[in-house]
Amino acid sequence: MLAVVVCAWTRLSSARTGVALVYHQVGGKGGDARLEILAAVSGDSFRRQLRHLRRYYHVVPASELLDAVRSRRRGQRFPVAITFDDDLAGHAHDALPELQREGLTATFFLGGISLAGPHRFWWEDLQRAVDDRLIEPDAIPHVAEADVRAALERSPKAIFRVAAAIERLDRPQRADAADALRSAAGPPSADEGLRAANVQALIAGGAEVGFHTLRHDLLPALSDNELADALREGSDELAAVTGTRLEVISYPHGRADQRVADAARAAGFTYGFVTGRETVTADTNPLLIPRIPPALSPGRTALRLARAVASSGSP
Ligand SMILES: [Zn+2]
Protein backbone atom coordinates (compact mmCIF):
# COMPACT_ATOMS: atom_id res chain seq x y z
CA MET A 1 0.00 0.00 0.00
CA LEU A 2 2.74 2.41 0.99
CA ALA A 3 4.54 1.59 -2.24
CA VAL A 4 1.44 2.47 -4.26
CA VAL A 5 1.01 5.81 -2.48
CA VAL A 6 4.66 6.72 -2.89
CA CYS A 7 4.55 5.75 -6.53
CA ALA A 8 1.37 7.74 -7.27
CA TRP A 9 2.74 10.77 -5.47
CA THR A 10 6.09 10.76 -7.20
CA ARG A 11 4.42 10.37 -10.57
CA LEU A 12 3.45 14.03 -10.18
CA SER A 13 7.14 14.73 -10.39
CA SER A 14 8.67 15.59 -13.72
CA ALA A 15 11.82 13.64 -12.79
CA ARG A 16 13.33 11.88 -15.75
CA THR A 17 13.94 8.64 -13.93
CA GLY A 18 13.47 4.94 -14.44
CA VAL A 19 14.54 1.64 -12.97
CA ALA A 20 16.05 -1.54 -14.35
CA LEU A 21 15.48 -4.75 -12.38
CA VAL A 22 17.78 -7.78 -12.56
CA TYR A 23 16.30 -11.22 -11.95
CA HIS A 24 17.98 -14.59 -12.17
CA GLN A 25 15.93 -17.67 -11.27
CA VAL A 26 12.18 -17.31 -10.80
CA GLY A 27 9.49 -19.92 -10.23
CA GLY A 28 8.64 -22.76 -7.89
CA LYS A 29 8.71 -22.33 -4.14
CA GLY A 30 11.49 -19.74 -4.18
CA GLY A 31 14.83 -19.77 -2.40
CA ASP A 32 16.52 -18.70 0.84
CA ALA A 33 18.55 -15.49 0.51
CA ARG A 34 20.77 -16.42 3.48
CA LEU A 35 21.84 -19.77 2.08
CA GLU A 36 21.60 -19.44 -1.69
CA ILE A 37 23.91 -17.45 -3.94
CA LEU A 38 21.10 -16.50 -6.32
CA ALA A 39 17.96 -17.38 -4.40
CA ALA A 40 14.97 -17.85 -6.69
CA VAL A 41 12.00 -15.51 -6.55
CA SER A 42 9.02 -17.86 -6.06
CA GLY A 43 6.50 -18.25 -8.87
CA ASP A 44 3.80 -16.65 -6.77
CA SER A 45 5.96 -13.69 -5.79
CA PHE A 46 7.12 -13.19 -9.38
CA ARG A 47 3.51 -13.15 -10.60
CA ARG A 48 2.59 -10.50 -8.03
CA GLN A 49 5.68 -8.43 -8.84
CA LEU A 50 4.75 -8.46 -12.53
CA ARG A 51 1.18 -7.46 -11.74
CA HIS A 52 2.47 -4.52 -9.70
CA LEU A 53 4.81 -3.46 -12.51
CA ARG A 54 2.03 -3.68 -15.09
CA ARG A 55 -0.32 -1.56 -12.99
CA TYR A 56 2.00 1.19 -11.80
CA TYR A 57 4.98 1.38 -14.18
CA HIS A 58 5.70 1.56 -17.89
CA VAL A 59 7.56 -1.65 -18.76
CA VAL A 60 9.99 -1.37 -21.67
CA PRO A 61 12.79 -3.53 -23.13
CA ALA A 62 16.26 -2.76 -21.75
CA SER A 63 17.28 -1.24 -25.08
CA GLU A 64 14.49 1.37 -24.81
CA LEU A 65 14.86 2.28 -21.13
CA LEU A 66 17.17 5.26 -21.47
CA ASP A 67 15.06 6.82 -24.25
CA ALA A 68 11.93 6.27 -22.16
CA VAL A 69 13.59 7.95 -19.17
CA ARG A 70 14.71 10.91 -21.27
CA SER A 71 11.29 11.47 -22.81
CA ARG A 72 9.25 11.02 -19.60
CA ARG A 73 6.80 13.85 -18.77
CA ARG A 74 5.10 14.84 -15.51
CA GLY A 75 2.22 12.51 -14.66
CA GLN A 76 3.49 9.63 -16.79
CA ARG A 77 4.41 6.30 -15.27
CA PHE A 78 8.06 5.71 -14.53
CA PRO A 79 9.70 3.39 -17.07
CA VAL A 80 11.02 0.03 -15.82
CA ALA A 81 13.05 -2.61 -17.66
CA ILE A 82 12.68 -6.19 -16.43
CA THR A 83 15.91 -8.09 -17.10
CA PHE A 84 17.26 -11.59 -16.47
CA ASP A 85 20.86 -12.81 -16.41
CA ASP A 86 22.44 -16.21 -17.16
CA ASP A 87 21.41 -19.11 -19.38
CA LEU A 88 18.83 -20.69 -17.08
CA ALA A 89 16.21 -23.23 -18.15
CA GLY A 90 13.66 -21.38 -16.02
CA HIS A 91 13.78 -18.34 -18.31
CA ALA A 92 11.81 -20.25 -20.94
CA HIS A 93 9.79 -22.51 -18.63
CA ASP A 94 8.92 -20.22 -15.72
CA ALA A 95 9.62 -16.56 -16.51
CA LEU A 96 8.34 -16.30 -20.09
CA PRO A 97 4.84 -17.77 -19.47
CA GLU A 98 4.29 -15.36 -16.56
CA LEU A 99 5.47 -12.40 -18.62
CA GLN A 100 3.15 -13.38 -21.44
CA ARG A 101 0.23 -13.77 -19.03
CA GLU A 102 0.72 -10.15 -17.92
CA GLY A 103 1.46 -8.94 -21.45
CA LEU A 104 4.90 -7.67 -20.42
CA THR A 105 8.23 -7.75 -22.20
CA ALA A 106 11.64 -8.42 -20.66
CA THR A 107 15.27 -8.63 -21.68
CA PHE A 108 17.22 -11.87 -21.19
CA PHE A 109 21.00 -11.52 -21.08
CA LEU A 110 22.52 -14.79 -22.27
CA GLY A 111 26.00 -16.11 -22.92
CA GLY A 112 24.90 -18.85 -25.27
CA ILE A 113 26.98 -21.49 -23.47
CA SER A 114 24.18 -24.09 -23.55
CA LEU A 115 22.77 -23.47 -27.04
CA ALA A 116 23.80 -26.97 -28.13
CA GLY A 117 23.84 -28.95 -24.87
CA PRO A 118 23.30 -28.81 -21.11
CA HIS A 119 25.43 -26.57 -18.93
CA ARG A 120 25.65 -25.66 -15.28
CA PHE A 121 27.63 -22.64 -14.01
CA TRP A 122 30.31 -23.12 -11.35
CA TRP A 123 28.23 -21.28 -8.76
CA GLU A 124 25.37 -23.66 -9.41
CA ASP A 125 27.78 -26.57 -8.87
CA LEU A 126 28.92 -24.87 -5.67
CA GLN A 127 25.34 -24.48 -4.46
CA ARG A 128 24.56 -28.11 -5.16
CA ALA A 129 27.81 -29.36 -3.62
CA VAL A 130 27.10 -27.39 -0.43
CA ASP A 131 23.36 -28.10 -0.22
CA ASP A 132 23.83 -31.83 -0.70
CA ARG A 133 27.12 -31.95 1.27
CA LEU A 134 28.98 -33.41 -1.66
CA ILE A 135 32.30 -31.68 -0.95
CA GLU A 136 34.92 -31.67 1.84
CA PRO A 137 35.92 -28.29 3.35
CA ASP A 138 39.46 -28.60 1.91
CA ALA A 139 38.40 -29.76 -1.54
CA ILE A 140 38.09 -26.42 -3.37
CA PRO A 141 41.53 -25.27 -4.50
CA HIS A 142 42.48 -21.62 -3.73
CA VAL A 143 39.53 -21.18 -1.35
CA ALA A 144 39.84 -20.91 2.45
CA GLU A 145 38.83 -24.15 4.15
CA ALA A 146 37.14 -22.24 7.00
CA ASP A 147 34.75 -20.51 4.58
CA VAL A 148 33.77 -23.78 2.90
CA ARG A 149 33.28 -25.39 6.31
CA ALA A 150 31.04 -22.51 7.42
CA ALA A 151 28.99 -22.84 4.23
CA LEU A 152 28.59 -26.58 4.81
CA GLU A 153 27.45 -25.83 8.37
CA ARG A 154 24.72 -23.56 6.88
CA SER A 155 26.14 -20.46 8.47
CA PRO A 156 24.11 -17.58 6.94
CA LYS A 157 25.84 -15.89 3.99
CA ALA A 158 28.94 -18.12 4.29
CA ILE A 159 28.43 -19.50 0.79
CA PHE A 160 28.65 -15.91 -0.52
CA ARG A 161 32.21 -15.67 0.84
CA VAL A 162 33.15 -18.87 -0.99
CA ALA A 163 31.58 -17.62 -4.22
CA ALA A 164 33.27 -14.23 -3.91
CA ALA A 165 36.65 -15.90 -3.37
CA ILE A 166 36.21 -17.99 -6.52
CA GLU A 167 34.96 -14.98 -8.50
CA ARG A 168 38.18 -13.10 -7.67
CA LEU A 169 40.53 -15.88 -8.85
CA ASP A 170 42.31 -15.54 -12.14
CA ARG A 171 41.13 -17.75 -14.98
CA PRO A 172 43.40 -20.81 -14.48
CA GLN A 173 42.80 -20.89 -10.72
CA ARG A 174 39.07 -20.43 -11.16
CA ALA A 175 39.12 -23.31 -13.63
CA ASP A 176 40.77 -25.45 -10.90
CA ALA A 177 38.04 -24.54 -8.44
CA ALA A 178 35.32 -25.10 -11.05
CA ASP A 179 36.76 -28.53 -11.88
CA ALA A 180 36.67 -29.53 -8.21
CA LEU A 181 33.09 -28.33 -7.90
CA ARG A 182 32.05 -30.15 -11.06
CA SER A 183 33.59 -33.41 -9.79
CA ALA A 184 31.65 -33.01 -6.56
CA ALA A 185 28.32 -31.94 -8.06
CA GLY A 186 28.38 -34.23 -11.08
CA PRO A 187 27.54 -33.40 -14.69
CA PRO A 188 24.56 -31.19 -15.56
CA SER A 189 21.30 -32.96 -16.26
CA ALA A 190 19.83 -32.94 -19.77
CA ASP A 191 17.40 -30.10 -19.08
CA GLU A 192 19.86 -27.57 -17.61
CA GLY A 193 20.67 -24.42 -19.56
CA LEU A 194 18.95 -22.89 -22.59
CA ARG A 195 19.01 -24.58 -26.00
CA ALA A 196 18.75 -22.64 -29.27
CA ALA A 197 15.05 -23.55 -29.45
CA ASN A 198 14.47 -22.10 -25.96
CA VAL A 199 16.18 -18.85 -26.97
CA GLN A 200 14.00 -18.65 -30.06
CA ALA A 201 10.95 -19.24 -27.87
CA LEU A 202 11.95 -16.19 -25.79
CA ILE A 203 12.14 -14.08 -28.95
CA ALA A 204 8.86 -15.47 -30.31
CA GLY A 205 7.27 -14.69 -26.93
CA GLY A 206 8.07 -11.00 -27.29
CA ALA A 207 11.24 -10.84 -25.22
CA GLU A 208 14.51 -9.16 -26.10
CA VAL A 209 17.84 -11.02 -25.91
CA GLY A 210 21.12 -9.38 -25.01
CA PHE A 211 24.63 -10.69 -24.42
CA HIS A 212 26.18 -11.76 -21.10
CA THR A 213 29.48 -13.15 -22.49
CA LEU A 214 30.23 -16.80 -23.14
CA ARG A 215 32.65 -17.51 -20.28
CA HIS A 216 31.23 -15.22 -17.61
CA ASP A 217 34.58 -13.73 -16.56
CA LEU A 218 34.75 -10.80 -14.17
CA LEU A 219 35.49 -8.25 -16.92
CA PRO A 220 37.34 -5.50 -14.98
CA ALA A 221 39.97 -8.10 -14.05
CA LEU A 222 40.80 -8.99 -17.66
CA SER A 223 43.64 -7.55 -19.75
CA ASP A 224 42.68 -5.37 -22.72
CA ASN A 225 43.07 -8.27 -25.16
CA GLU A 226 41.18 -10.72 -22.98
CA LEU A 227 38.43 -8.15 -22.53
CA ALA A 228 38.06 -7.60 -26.27
CA ASP A 229 37.87 -11.38 -26.76
CA ALA A 230 35.32 -11.84 -23.98
CA LEU A 231 33.04 -9.21 -25.53
CA ARG A 232 33.13 -10.97 -28.90
CA GLU A 233 33.49 -14.72 -28.25
CA GLY A 234 30.15 -16.46 -28.73
CA SER A 235 28.23 -13.34 -29.72
CA ASP A 236 27.93 -14.28 -33.41
CA GLU A 237 26.61 -17.73 -32.47
CA LEU A 238 23.99 -16.24 -30.16
CA ALA A 239 23.02 -13.57 -32.71
CA ALA A 240 22.60 -16.29 -35.35
CA VAL A 241 20.04 -17.95 -33.06
CA THR A 242 18.15 -14.76 -32.20
CA GLY A 243 18.26 -13.46 -35.77
CA THR A 244 19.02 -9.97 -34.49
CA ARG A 245 22.09 -7.90 -33.73
CA LEU A 246 23.00 -8.00 -30.02
CA GLU A 247 22.67 -4.36 -29.08
CA VAL A 248 22.62 -4.69 -25.28
CA ILE A 249 24.97 -6.40 -22.84
CA SER A 250 24.91 -7.09 -19.13
CA TYR A 251 28.33 -7.55 -17.60
CA PRO A 252 28.99 -10.83 -15.73
CA HIS A 253 28.66 -10.50 -11.95
CA GLY A 254 27.08 -7.09 -12.64
CA ARG A 255 30.49 -5.47 -12.64
CA ALA A 256 32.09 -3.06 -15.09
CA ASP A 257 34.17 0.12 -15.05
CA GLN A 258 34.85 2.85 -17.60
CA ARG A 259 37.46 0.73 -19.40
CA VAL A 260 34.98 -2.15 -19.75
CA ALA A 261 32.26 0.28 -20.89
CA ASP A 262 34.58 1.72 -23.55
CA ALA A 263 35.48 -1.78 -24.75
CA ALA A 264 31.79 -2.74 -24.91
CA ARG A 265 31.07 0.32 -27.03
CA ALA A 266 34.00 -0.54 -29.30
CA ALA A 267 32.61 -4.08 -29.61
CA GLY A 268 29.37 -2.64 -30.98
CA PHE A 269 27.08 -2.56 -27.95
CA THR A 270 24.83 0.48 -27.50
CA TYR A 271 23.71 -0.18 -23.91
CA GLY A 272 25.51 -1.94 -21.07
CA PHE A 273 24.08 -2.95 -17.68
CA VAL A 274 25.71 -3.37 -14.27
CA THR A 275 24.17 -4.23 -10.89
CA GLY A 276 23.71 -1.38 -8.43
CA ARG A 277 21.21 0.39 -6.23
CA GLU A 278 20.80 3.51 -8.34
CA THR A 279 17.98 4.59 -10.60
CA VAL A 280 18.44 5.37 -14.28
CA THR A 281 18.40 9.06 -15.14
CA ALA A 282 18.78 11.14 -18.29
CA ASP A 283 22.47 11.50 -17.41
CA THR A 284 23.19 7.80 -16.89
CA ASN A 285 26.10 6.49 -18.98
CA PRO A 286 24.42 4.24 -21.62
CA LEU A 287 27.18 1.64 -21.18
CA LEU A 288 26.95 1.63 -17.35
CA ILE A 289 23.23 1.47 -16.61
CA PRO A 290 22.52 0.26 -13.05
CA ARG A 291 20.04 -2.50 -12.30
CA ILE A 292 18.42 -3.10 -8.92
CA PRO A 293 17.97 -6.68 -7.70
CA PRO A 294 14.34 -7.30 -6.67
CA ALA A 295 13.56 -8.59 -3.18
CA LEU A 296 12.16 -12.09 -2.83
CA SER A 297 8.80 -10.76 -1.60
CA PRO A 298 6.47 -8.68 -3.78
CA GLY A 299 5.86 -6.09 -1.05
CA ARG A 300 9.53 -5.39 -0.47
CA THR A 301 10.21 -5.25 -4.21
CA ALA A 302 7.38 -2.72 -4.65
CA LEU A 303 8.79 -0.61 -1.85
CA ARG A 304 12.32 -0.83 -3.24
CA LEU A 305 11.04 0.45 -6.60
CA ALA A 306 8.96 3.23 -5.04
CA ARG A 307 11.86 4.38 -2.88
CA ALA A 308 14.15 4.40 -5.90
CA VAL A 309 11.91 6.64 -8.00
CA ALA A 310 10.97 8.78 -4.99
CA SER A 311 14.63 9.45 -4.21
CA SER A 312 15.10 11.00 -7.62
CA GLY A 313 12.73 13.92 -7.23
CA SER A 314 9.57 15.06 -5.45
CA PRO A 315 6.68 17.05 -6.92
ZN1 LIG B 1 25.60 -13.86 -14.81
Side-chain angles (χ1 to χ4, degrees), residues 29-68:
K29 283 164 44 196
D32 183 332
R34 296 165 309 146
L35 299 176
E36 294 176 34
I37 299 164
L38 291 168
V41 173
S42 75
D44 179 60
S45 175
F46 184 58
R47 201 168 303 133
R48 289 160 66 184
Q49 293 188 27
L50 291 185
R51 206 167 299 150
H52 181 79
L53 290 168
R54 178 172 55 73
R55 281 185 187 156
Y56 300 108
Y57 293 88
H58 172 44
V59 175
V60 297
S63 62
E64 295 175 18
L65 180 61
L66 208 47
D67 281 344

Side-chain angles (χ1 to χ4, degrees), residues 63-76:
S63 62
E64 295 175 18
L65 180 61
L66 208 47
D67 281 344
V69 164
R70 287 172 175 161
S71 60
R72 180 180 177 271
R73 299 283 176 268
R74 182 188 301 273
Q76 292 180 336

